[in-house]
Amino acid sequence: YQEFDIAEPADFSRNSKGRNAQFLAGRLAATSVLEDIGSDSFVLTTGNHREPLWPAGYIGSISHQGQSSVAIARRRDICASAKTFPGSSVSPGSLGLGIDYQVEIDEQESQQIASIVASPRELSYLKRSLPELSVAQLLTLVFSAKESFFKAAFDSVGCYFDFDAVS
């Protein structure tokens, strides 16, 4: 953390070294993205819910899985002049960014999380729409899509919500 001038969250003493390394790698990925898009500040702090707090004028998302970390970011004003979607009151400039990186959920794990990640209706729809994919693959996609949505919405919503809030 010191070598890269990244603040280590105070509560990280209780985390494993692997989890701390993932956190650091995610912050390094975010720093690189911010530099690439022209930010003058590369300092990401951590919010009360352990979410990344981006420099003023920027929004982004970080994900990590195993030994890999990814990040995306953009200037907040990049979509400010875009039109709203027909029938929507959501301004494109207020939209966040969400990214999630997952390895495929295995069959045993898919049985354990199926009812948490997807409703029976969603799973039925996905099985009909993508019959070439296994249930584990479908649940991996749904999990990742919903996690990406959560990360994109968190900045506006400011609280956690369960998988059943999105379909």
Side-chain angles (χ1 to χ4, degrees):
Y1 289 91
Q2 291 173 347
E3 181 178 336
F4 297 105
D5 196 26
I6 294 177
E8 183 177 350
D11 66 344
F12 262 36
S13 60
R14 66 180 181 190
N15 289 345
S16 69
K17 287 182 180 180
R19 176 71 179 116
N20 288 344
Q22 285 179 333
F23 180 90
L24 177 60
R27 296 302 204 230
L28 289 172
T31 298
S32 177
V33 170
L34 286 167
E35 183 177 22
D36 287 349
I37 62 174
S39 175
D40 293 334
S41 172
F42 311 121
V43 178
L44 272 76
T45 55
T46 304
N48 293 334
H49 300 285
R50 299 181 57 139
E51 77 279 14
L53 299 176
W54 297 81
Y58 291 86
I59 189 72
S61 185
I62 300 171
S63 185
H64 33 74
Q65 177 70 40
Q67 296 183 9
S68 298
S69 294
V70 295
I72 56 173
R74 69 167 170 84
R75 291 190 334 262
R76 283 188 183 269
D77 65 354
I78 203 88
C79 295
S81 63
K83 295 180 181 178
T84 59
F85 297 106
S88 173
S89 61
V90 176
S91 162
S94 69
L95 297 175
L97 288 176
I99 190 170
D100 187 55
Y101 176 54
Q102 292 293 319
V103 294
E104 184 179 327
I105 296 169
D106 64 35
E107 290 296 329
Q108 182 179 3
E109 187 179 14
S110 72
Q111 293 172 7
Q112 295 169 348
I113 68 165
S115 64
I116 297 168
V117 173
S119 70
R121 182 176 174 207
E122 288 173 313
L123 203 48
S124 174
Y125 173 80
L126 289 167
K127 286 178 183 177
R128 286 191 318 274
S129 300
L130 300 164
E132 68 277 11
L133 298 183
S134 70
V135 170
Q137 290 170 321
L138 293 171
L139 287 171
T140 302
L141 290 173
V142 171
F143 180 96
S144 191
K146 289 184 177 187
E147 183 71 12
S148 296
F149 181 85
F150 169 80
K151 290 179 179 184
F154 189 84
D155 190 53
S156 296
V157 175
C159 64
Y160 289 107
F161 48 86
D162 293 328
F163 285 108
D164 62 357
V166 178
S167 62

